[in-house]
Amino acid sequence: MPLPFDVEDALSCLPQALVRVGPDLVVQWCEQDFARKAGVALRPGGSLLEALEPGPGLDAVALAVRERRPHTGPVITRALHQVRVHVKPGPGEAEPPGAWLVVESSGVDDEGAFSLAVREIARAVGESLEVDSVCAAAVVALVRCAQVRRAEVYLCDEEGVELRRSAVSDLAGGESPEDAFDPEEDPFRQALAMRQAQLGIQRGYGDSLGSIFAAVPLCAPRRTVGLLLLYKEQGTSFSARELELWTAAANQLAVAVENARLLREAKSALQVREEFMSIASHELKTPLTPLKLGLYTMERKLAQGQSVELSSVLKSKRQVDRLVGLVDDLLDASRLDMGRLALALAPLEVGQLVAEVVDHFRAAFDRPFAVDVPRERVWVRGDRDRLEQVLVNLLENAHKYSPPGEPISVRVERLTGEARIHVQDHGIGIPGADQSQVFQRFYRARNVSHRNFGGLGLGLFISHSIARLHGGALSLASAEGQGSTFTVGLPRMPAHEVKKLPRRVLLLDEDSTLEAMAERVLCSEGYEVLTARDGAEALRRATHLPVDLIVLSTTATHGQAGVFLETFATLPRARPVPILLAGDARPWWAQEESSLCTRPYVADELVARVRNVLTQERRRPAEVSPSGGESPLGTLAPRA
């Protein structure tokens, strides 16, 4: 008897989907609602292999169709839904040969289980706001209520980059395939990126089919905090309604996790504030007490008509300077928090900066300081004052935490595309457990006594932030009891920009007319010229950037030349500076190999001599140690 015309309408009322296939699994007929019921599309003439995932389930169905025998078993669809397939073979004389397949979903839509699981999670949140405890209670509740074999919670780190397992429902059990969690696999990555539940297949249980799992993102209002993984028993799957229910439960868990994190951060912030207030009050009181006593003493002496010693004023000034430093650190930390710490970037030669800062420390402290810079100049674009602040902080720490008399070394390294400044001491070092936190604000290493070593714990935080604002970094290598090496890495200026920088010439001629003429000639050739008519005035202006060459008149009196050379010798320099003598003959105090040019100046000759000396100096091998003493007249080397 032919099928009634409305048979399709009747089939649409049934939850099962019906399809007929041949022995080769080619679809002979399928009902119109097959895609809606089974979750995959089939068409007459197509293959069942296009709709089902390869595996033991599909193999069992194919074998039953070929052998014309009944079969019932789970199969995974290409859409990663687990369905149950009943094979009903046609009669032997049927034409065409084949079998009927009845496909039904094996998911469970249990809102009662959902409600129970949500109540269990809510109860856990009420009992504790500790993150791992909440997650542990949640996975137990889901296994008990959600008809899943296993549940896990993975939480993102503070940066939202890495995932760590916070809780699993069967920690007491043995190793299982789920323990090999790879967050880069598609279901996990897509769940986090799209903030939607994703399905996947878990295999690896010997001869079994494996199981379907759901990766459900934990979506708090402002961010995704992790993943909830639910593993079904073999032969069952997740329906669309189930995923909706457990997504809602996961979101509730996410809110609980985020609240627990916020509470922990708030407690941590309160603790940091209390520690800071204690340290800050102590540090601010330390200079205020002697300052107040010193001012009171000076006031009493002045009232009695007595003189005030200079030493008392200087002591008070040192305490004021210390207070200013503490306040500046607080202001810098505040500016960094608000993103208002601006940089004034300009070309800066690293070796010259290092030489100048170390020179100040040599003058202030009775301790050996070693400086090592490459002969080639190392240029960066930086804020000179801020980078000096970083160096001063590192050298102060090295001095503070090193035994008296122990050397401190500063080395400049010239790498491809990067300049590095290494500050090394042989002091108390930093414990390994503290090294990852030394660049945090207000942090003090455990082996540092607040009584013996002052400070707010802001110096390294500010220095690290300044290095990052320059596009660089501040790093640490240390061993407790053996000392520390801090390294500042900064991007070097491109070579084509360095070539555009003017060369610096320092000019001394007692004849102001000749000096002005030489200055015009050299400036027209692109040199930056500093004049020093009195032998000292402009020299002090030459400290921040390196001087490439000194042009010195041979007719200057011995006293004038002596004052000039003595003054220049006291200024910090990283490398030897060549000297070009201007005159008819070398004076008695000059070396035989000293370069000489005509005076009165001849423009072309002066320019040629200057270029020749600079070229020779650039090609000269590094014979003098950067930390060595002064060389004979002809070049001036840095001071020891």
Side-chain angles (χ1 to χ4, degrees):
M1 177 175 82
L3 289 174
F5 71 92
D6 57 351
V7 66
E8 291 283 359
D9 294 335
L11 290 175
S12 66
C13 298
L14 301 177
Q16 297 86 0
L18 190 63
V19 60
R20 195 177 195 282
V21 298
D24 54 359
L25 300 186
V26 173
V27 177
Q28 298 173 346
W29 178 90
C30 66
E31 64 170 289
Q32 294 177 357
D33 277 353
F34 187 90
R36 178 179 63 82
K37 296 178 180 180
V40 291
L42 281 180
R43 55 180 177 78
S47 174
L48 191 65
L49 301 176
E50 298 174 357
L52 302 181
E53 185 78 11
L58 179 59
D59 294 341
V61 170
L63 183 62
V65 172
R66 287 198 303 270
E67 294 180 353
R68 297 190 175 187
R69 58 178 176 80
H71 168 76
T72 298
V75 179
I76 298 171
T77 70
R78 290 286 188 178
L80 298 183
H81 292 291
Q82 196 158 11
V83 296
R84 187 172 300 276
V85 177
H86 304 273
V87 179
K88 172 64 175 174
E93 65 278 2
E95 191 61 39
W100 288 96
L101 305 184
V102 179
V103 181
E104 61 181 355
S105 173
S106 57
V108 178
D109 299 340
D110 191 343
E111 299 202 20
F114 165 74
S115 300
L116 181 59
V118 168
R119 288 198 299 272
E120 291 280 344
I121 295 173
R123 183 175 60 81
V125 172
E127 293 176 352
S128 171
L129 271 177
E130 202 278 321
V131 174
D132 289 345
S133 297
V134 172
C135 294
V139 295
V140 171
L142 288 167
V143 170
R144 288 172 53 191
C145 308
Q147 300 184 26
V148 294
R149 174 175 51 80
R150 175 183 170 114
E152 296 176 304
V153 173
Y154 284 83
L155 297 181
C156 300
D157 60 11
E158 300 299 330
E159 289 75 26
V161 177
E162 296 185 359
L163 290 170
R164 70 167 182 90
R165 188 165 69 181
S166 175
V168 59
S169 60
D170 55 352
L171 282 175
E175 289 290 322
S176 66
E178 290 90 356
D179 291 322
F181 173 75
D182 181 5
E184 294 302 315
E185 290 185 6
D186 284 344
F188 310 123
R189 190 173 65 250
Q190 291 175 7
L192 289 172
M194 301 174 62
R195 292 170 63 95
Q196 293 181 354
Q198 303 291 322
L199 295 179
I201 303 172
Q202 178 62 56
R203 303 192 185 280
Y205 286 90
D207 297 331
S208 68
L209 292 170
S211 58
I212 292 285
F213 70 85
V216 185
L218 302 177
C219 299
R222 292 185 297 174
R223 63 181 184 132
T224 302
V225 301
L227 283 175
L228 169 65
L229 303 186
L230 302 173
Y231 295 88
K232 282 279 191 172
E233 295 288 353
Q234 180 183 344
T236 57
S237 182
F238 294 92
S239 67
R241 179 57 180 160
E242 271 187 301
L243 290 181
E244 291 178 5
L245 296 175
W246 303 128
T247 296
N251 290 343
Q252 183 187 29
L253 176 59
V255 172
V257 167
E258 188 72 351
N259 288 342
R261 280 182 171 173
L262 291 174
L263 177 63
R264 183 184 61 195
E265 291 172 1
K267 289 181 178 178
S268 177
L270 286 173
Q271 182 179 358
V272 169
R273 193 188 76 165
E274 290 174 0
E275 291 178 356
F276 165 70
M277 294 299 293
S278 174
I279 295 172
S281 60
H282 171 75
E283 291 299 324
L284 293 171
K285 186 178 180 180
T286 299
L288 277 174
T289 301
L291 178 60
K292 181 179 179 180
L293 291 174
L295 291 174
Y296 174 76
T297 301
M298 285 187 278
E299 180 186 28
R300 180 169 52 83
K301 286 186 175 182
L302 290 172
Q304 295 175 357
Q306 300 177 7
S307 61
V308 175
E309 298 86 355
L310 177 61
S311 60
S312 299
V313 177
L314 294 177
K315 288 179 182 178
S316 297
K317 181 178 181 297
R318 281 197 296 271
Q319 301 303 331
V320 171
D321 291 340
R322 183 173 178 182
L323 276 172
V324 170
L326 293 172
V327 173
D328 284 344
D329 281 350
L330 290 171
L331 289 175
D332 283 343
S334 176
R335 293 187 188 105
L336 286 167
D337 283 342
M338 295 185 291
R340 295 180 181 176
L341 189 66
L343 300 180
L345 299 180
L348 180 67
E349 206 283 304
V350 177
Q352 182 72 17
L353 173 65
V354 167
E356 183 180 350
V357 174
V358 172
D359 199 69
H360 295 327
F361 273 80
R362 282 200 187 103
F365 301 109
D366 184 18
R367 177 191 296 277
F369 289 87
V371 176
D372 183 11
V373 300
R375 188 172 187 87
E376 304 86 354
R377 292 193 173 148
V378 185
W379 289 91
V380 301
R381 289 192 63 82
D383 185 317
R384 189 199 171 282
D385 292 338
R386 289 300 181 183
L387 290 179
E388 179 181 358
Q389 180 182 354
V390 172
L391 279 174
V392 167
N393 180 66
L394 296 181
L395 286 168
E396 284 181 344
N397 284 348
H399 172 71
K400 184 192 302 183
Y401 300 123
S402 296
E406 284 290 336
I408 295 172
S409 64
V410 184
R411 181 170 62 91
V412 177
E413 189 177 10
R414 187 176 187 266
L415 301 175
T416 302
E418 184 182 29
R420 290 182 182 174
I421 307 171
H422 306 278
V423 179
Q424 182 180 19
D425 66 65
H426 302 281
I428 63 176
I430 299 173
D434 294 330
Q435 292 182 18
S436 63
Q437 304 175 68
V438 294
F439 299 125
Q440 297 178 9
R441 72 181 72 231
F442 310 130
Y443 190 80
R444 305 287 296 275
R446 290 174 298 174
N447 61 340
V448 172
S449 167
H450 296 300
R451 182 178 299 274
N452 297 328
F453 302 104
L456 296 173
L458 285 173
L460 289 177
F461 163 72
I462 294 171
S463 298
H464 183 259
S465 300
I466 290 173
R468 292 183 62 182
L469 287 174
H470 279 83
L474 175 61
S475 59
L476 162 69
S478 183
E480 190 171 9
Q482 300 179 28
S484 304
T485 299
F486 285 89
T487 299
V488 183
L490 300 169
R492 280 177 51 199
M493 283 180 62
H496 68 275
E497 292 185 13
V498 173
K499 290 180 180 179
K500 297 178 182 178
L501 296 176
R503 309 298 294 273
R504 258 178 150 214
V505 177
L506 191 57
L507 179 61
L508 173 63
D509 196 305
E510 71 278 11
D511 188 321
S512 59
T513 302
L514 292 178
E515 187 179 70
M517 179 266 185
E519 182 180 2
R520 285 196 304 272
V521 170
L522 294 175
C523 287
S524 67
E525 293 295 323
Y527 294 100
E528 181 182 347
V529 180
L530 298 175
T531 59
R533 294 183 180 88
D534 62 356
E537 174 191 357
L539 288 177
R540 294 191 182 13
R541 296 191 288 119
T543 58
H544 291 348
L545 287 174
V547 171
D548 298 281
L549 174 69
I550 299 171
V551 178
L552 180 61
S553 168
T554 61
T555 59
T557 65
H558 185 271
Q560 289 175 321
V563 170
F564 172 81
L565 296 173
E566 182 179 355
T567 304
F568 190 78
T570 62
L571 297 179
R573 295 181 314 285
R575 303 168 186 84
V577 181
I579 296 178
L580 174 63
L581 298 173
D584 296 329
R586 292 180 181 85
W588 61 269
W589 39 263
Q591 283 186 323
E592 285 296 326
E593 62 270 19
S594 299
S595 298
L596 191 68
C597 73
T598 301
R599 180 179 177 274
Y601 302 102
V602 178
D604 292 342
E605 181 193 2
L606 175 61
V607 172
R609 291 292 187 184
V610 168
R611 288 177 178 171
N612 184 55
V613 173
L614 291 177
T615 301
Q616 289 180 353
E617 185 64 23
R618 191 162 52 243
R619 295 174 179 173
R620 188 194 304 270
E623 298 173 354
V624 181
S625 169
S627 58
E630 291 189 17
S631 65
L633 187 58
T635 60
L636 286 179
R639 296 189 301 131

Coordinates of all heavy atoms in Angstrom, one line a residue, residues 38-39 74-77 79-84 104-110 146-149 198-201 210-214 230-243 246:
A38 N 18.3 15.6 14.2 CA 19.6 14.9 14.4 C 20.7 16.0 14.5 O 21.8 15.6 14.9 CB 19.9 13.9 13.3
G39 N 20.5 17.2 14.0 CA 21.5 18.2 14.1 C 22.5 18.1 12.9 O 23.5 18.9 12.8
P74 N 25.7 4.0 20.2 CA 25.9 5.5 20.1 C 26.8 5.8 18.9 O 27.8 5.1 18.6 CB 26.5 5.8 21.4 CG 27.2 4.6 21.8 CD 26.4 3.4 21.3
V75 N 26.6 6.9 18.3 CA 27.5 7.4 17.2 C 27.6 9.0 17.4 O 26.7 9.6 17.9 CB 26.9 7.1 15.8 CG1 27.8 7.7 14.7 CG2 26.7 5.6 15.6
I76 N 28.8 9.5 17.0 CA 29.0 10.9 17.2 C 28.8 11.6 15.8 O 29.4 11.1 14.8 CB 30.4 11.2 17.7 CG1 30.6 10.6 19.1 CG2 30.7 12.7 17.7 CD1 32.0 10.6 19.7
T77 N 28.1 12.6 15.7 CA 27.8 13.3 14.5 C 29.0 14.3 14.2 O 29.8 14.6 15.0 CB 26.5 14.1 14.5 OG1 26.6 15.2 15.4 CG2 25.4 13.2 15.0
A79 N 28.6 17.3 13.8 CA 28.4 18.5 14.6 C 28.8 18.3 16.1 O 28.4 19.1 17.0 CB 27.0 18.9 14.5
L80 N 29.4 17.1 16.4 CA 29.8 16.7 17.7 C 28.7 16.5 18.7 O 28.8 16.8 19.9 CB 30.8 17.7 18.2 CG 32.1 17.9 17.5 CD1 33.1 18.8 18.2 CD2 32.8 16.5 17.3
H81 N 27.5 16.0 18.2 CA 26.5 15.6 19.0 C 26.5 14.1 19.1 O 26.7 13.4 18.1 CB 25.1 16.0 18.5 CG 24.9 17.5 18.5 ND1 24.8 18.2 19.7 CD2 24.8 18.4 17.5 CE1 24.6 19.5 19.5 NE2 24.7 19.7 18.1
Q82 N 26.3 13.5 20.3 CA 26.2 12.1 20.4 C 24.8 11.6 20.2 O 23.9 12.1 21.0 CB 26.8 11.6 21.7 CG 27.1 10.1 21.7 CD 28.1 9.8 22.8 OE1 28.5 10.6 23.6 NE2 28.7 8.6 22.8
V83 N 24.5 10.7 19.3 CA 23.1 10.2 19.0 C 23.1 8.7 19.2 O 24.2 8.1 19.1 CB 22.7 10.7 17.6 CG1 22.5 12.2 17.6 CG2 23.6 10.1 16.6
R84 N 21.9 8.2 19.3 CA 21.8 6.7 19.4 C 21.1 6.3 18.1 O 20.1 6.9 17.7 CB 20.9 6.3 20.6 CG 20.8 4.8 20.8 CD 20.1 4.5 22.1 NE 20.8 5.0 23.2 CZ 21.8 4.4 23.8 NH1 22.3 3.3 23.4 NH2 22.4 5.0 24.9
E104 N 18.1 9.0 17.3 CA 17.5 9.8 18.4 C 18.6 10.5 19.2 O 19.7 9.9 19.4 CB 16.6 8.9 19.3 CG 17.4 7.8 19.9 CD 16.4 6.9 20.8 OE1 15.3 7.3 20.9 OE2 16.9 5.9 21.3
S105 N 18.3 11.6 19.7 CA 19.2 12.4 20.6 C 19.4 11.6 21.9 O 18.4 11.1 22.4 CB 18.8 13.8 20.8 OG 19.6 14.4 21.7
S106 N 20.6 11.7 22.4 CA 20.8 11.0 23.7 C 21.1 12.0 24.8 O 21.6 11.7 25.8 CB 22.0 10.0 23.7 OG 23.1 10.7 23.2
G107 N 20.8 13.3 24.6 CA 21.0 14.3 25.6 C 19.9 14.3 26.6 O 18.8 13.7 26.5
V108 N 20.1 15.0 27.7 CA 19.1 15.1 28.8 C 18.8 16.5 29.1 O 19.8 17.3 29.3 CB 19.7 14.4 30.1 CG1 18.7 14.5 31.2 CG2 20.0 12.9 29.8
D109 N 17.6 17.0 29.2 CA 17.2 18.3 29.5 C 16.5 18.3 30.9 O 15.3 18.1 31.0 CB 16.2 18.9 28.5 CG 16.8 19.0 27.1 OD1 18.0 19.0 27.0 OD2 16.0 19.0 26.1
D110 N 17.4 18.4 31.9 CA 16.8 18.3 33.3 C 17.0 19.6 34.1 O 18.0 19.9 34.6 CB 17.6 17.1 34.0 CG 17.0 16.7 35.3 OD1 16.1 17.5 35.8 OD2 17.3 15.7 35.8
A146 N 24.3 17.0 37.6 CA 24.2 17.3 36.1 C 24.4 16.1 35.3 O 24.5 16.2 34.1 CB 25.3 18.3 35.8
Q147 N 24.5 14.9 35.8 CA 24.6 13.6 35.1 C 25.8 13.7 34.2 O 25.8 13.4 33.0 CB 23.3 13.3 34.2 CG 22.1 13.2 35.1 CD 20.9 12.8 34.3 OE1 21.0 12.2 33.2 NE2 19.7 13.2 34.8
V148 N 27.0 14.1 34.7 CA 28.2 14.1 34.0 C 29.2 13.2 34.8 O 29.1 13.1 36.0 CB 28.8 15.6 33.9 CG1 27.9 16.4 33.0 CG2 29.0 16.2 35.2
R149 N 30.1 12.7 34.1 CA 31.1 11.8 34.7 C 32.2 12.5 35.4 O 32.7 12.0 36.4 CB 31.7 10.9 33.6 CG 32.8 9.9 34.1 CD 33.3 9.0 33.0 NE 33.6 9.7 31.7 CZ 34.7 10.4 31.5 NH1 35.6 10.5 32.4 NH2 34.9 11.0 30.4
Q198 N 31.4 25.2 23.8 CA 31.8 24.4 22.6 C 31.9 23.0 23.0 O 32.2 22.6 24.1 CB 33.2 24.9 22.1 CG 33.3 26.4 21.8 CD 32.5 26.7 20.5 OE1 32.5 25.9 19.6 NE2 31.9 27.9 20.5
L199 N 31.6 22.1 22.0 CA 31.7 20.6 22.2 C 32.9 20.1 21.6 O 33.4 20.6 20.6 CB 30.4 20.0 21.6 CG 29.1 20.3 22.3 CD1 27.9 19.6 21.6 CD2 29.1 20.0 23.8
G200 N 33.4 19.0 22.2 CA 34.6 18.3 21.7 C 34.5 16.8 22.0 O 33.6 16.4 22.8
I201 N 35.4 16.0 21.4 CA 35.4 14.6 21.6 C 36.7 14.2 22.4 O 37.8 14.7 22.1 CB 35.5 13.8 20.3 CG1 34.3 14.2 19.4 CG2 35.5 12.3 20.5 CD1 34.4 13.6 18.0
G210 N 35.1 6.6 23.6 CA 35.4 8.0 24.1 C 34.1 8.7 24.5 O 33.0 8.0 24.6
S211 N 34.2 10.0 24.8 CA 33.0 10.7 25.3 C 33.0 12.1 24.8 O 34.0 12.6 24.4 CB 32.9 10.6 26.8 OG 34.1 11.3 27.3
I212 N 31.8 12.7 24.8 CA 31.6 14.1 24.4 C 31.9 14.9 25.7 O 31.6 14.6 26.8 CB 30.2 14.3 24.0 CG1 29.9 13.6 22.7 CG2 29.9 15.8 23.9 CD1 30.5 14.3 21.5
F213 N 32.6 16.1 25.5 CA 32.8 17.0 26.6 C 32.3 18.4 26.1 O 32.3 18.7 24.9 CB 34.2 17.1 27.1 CG 35.2 17.7 26.1 CD1 35.4 19.1 26.1 CD2 35.9 16.9 25.3 CE1 36.3 19.6 25.2 CE2 36.8 17.5 24.4 CZ 37.0 18.8 24.4
A214 N 31.9 19.2 27.1 CA 31.5 20.6 26.8 C 32.5 21.5 27.5 O 32.8 21.3 28.7 CB 30.1 20.8 27.3
L230 N 32.9 19.8 31.2 CA 31.9 18.7 31.6 C 32.1 17.6 30.7 O 32.0 17.7 29.5 CB 30.5 19.3 31.6 CG 30.2 20.5 32.5 CD1 28.8 21.0 32.2 CD2 30.4 20.1 34.0
Y231 N 32.3 16.4 31.3 CA 32.5 15.2 30.5 C 31.3 14.2 30.7 O 31.0 13.9 31.9 CB 33.8 14.4 30.9 CG 35.1 15.2 30.6 CD1 35.6 16.1 31.5 CD2 35.7 15.1 29.4 CE1 36.7 16.9 31.2 CE2 36.9 15.8 29.1 CZ 37.4 16.7 30.0 OH 38.5 17.4 29.8
K232 N 30.7 13.8 29.6 CA 29.6 12.9 29.7 C 30.0 11.4 29.8 O 31.1 11.1 29.3 CB 28.6 13.1 28.5 CG 27.8 14.3 28.6 CD 26.5 14.0 29.4 CE 25.5 15.2 29.2 NZ 24.2 14.8 29.9
E233 N 29.1 10.6 30.2 CA 29.4 9.1 30.1 C 29.3 8.7 28.7 O 28.6 9.4 27.8 CB 28.3 8.4 30.9 CG 28.4 8.6 32.4 CD 29.6 7.9 33.1 OE1 30.3 7.2 32.4 OE2 29.8 8.2 34.3
Q234 N 29.9 7.6 28.3 CA 29.8 7.1 27.0 C 28.4 6.8 26.6 O 27.6 6.3 27.4 CB 30.7 5.8 26.9 CG 30.7 5.2 25.5 CD 31.4 3.9 25.5 OE1 32.2 3.6 26.4 NE2 31.2 3.1 24.4
G235 N 28.1 7.2 25.4 CA 26.7 7.0 24.9 C 25.7 8.1 25.1 O 24.6 8.0 24.7
T236 N 26.1 9.2 25.8 CA 25.2 10.3 26.0 C 25.9 11.6 25.5 O 27.1 11.6 25.3 CB 24.9 10.5 27.5 OG1 26.1 10.6 28.2 CG2 24.2 9.2 28.1
S237 N 25.1 12.6 25.3 CA 25.6 13.8 24.8 C 24.9 15.0 25.4 O 24.0 14.8 26.3 CB 25.4 13.9 23.2 OG 25.9 15.0 22.7
F238 N 25.2 16.2 25.0 CA 24.6 17.4 25.5 C 23.6 17.9 24.5 O 23.9 18.1 23.3 CB 25.7 18.5 25.7 CG 26.7 18.2 26.8 CD1 27.9 17.5 26.5 CD2 26.4 18.5 28.1 CE1 28.8 17.2 27.5 CE2 27.4 18.2 29.1 CZ 28.5 17.6 28.8
S239 N 22.4 18.2 25.0 CA 21.4 18.9 24.1 C 21.6 20.4 24.2 O 22.3 20.9 25.0 CB 20.0 18.5 24.6 OG 19.8 19.1 25.9
A240 N 21.0 21.1 23.3 CA 21.1 22.5 23.2 C 20.6 23.1 24.6 O 21.1 24.1 25.1 CB 20.3 23.1 22.1
R241 N 19.5 22.6 25.1 CA 18.9 23.1 26.3 C 19.9 22.9 27.5 O 20.1 23.8 28.3 CB 17.6 22.4 26.6 CG 16.9 22.9 27.9 CD 16.7 24.4 27.9 NE 16.1 24.8 29.1 CZ 16.1 26.1 29.5 NH1 16.7 27.0 28.8 NH2 15.5 26.4 30.7
E242 N 20.5 21.7 27.5 CA 21.5 21.5 28.6 C 22.6 22.5 28.6 O 23.0 23.0 29.6 CB 22.1 20.1 28.4 CG 21.4 19.0 29.1 CD 22.2 17.7 29.0 OE1 22.5 17.2 27.9 OE2 22.6 17.2 30.1
L243 N 23.1 22.8 27.4 CA 24.2 23.8 27.3 C 23.8 25.1 27.8 O 24.5 25.9 28.4 CB 24.7 23.9 25.8 CG 25.5 22.6 25.3 CD1 25.9 22.9 23.9 CD2 26.7 22.3 26.2
W246 N 23.8 24.9 31.7 CA 25.1 24.8 32.3 C 25.9 26.1 32.0 O 26.8 26.5 32.8 CB 25.8 23.6 32.0 CG 25.1 22.3 32.3 CD1 24.7 21.3 31.5 CD2 24.4 22.0 33.6 NE1 24.0 20.4 32.2 CE2 23.8 20.8 33.4 CE3 24.4 22.7 34.8 CZ2 23.1 20.2 34.5 CZ3 23.7 22.1 35.8 CH2 23.0 20.9 35.7

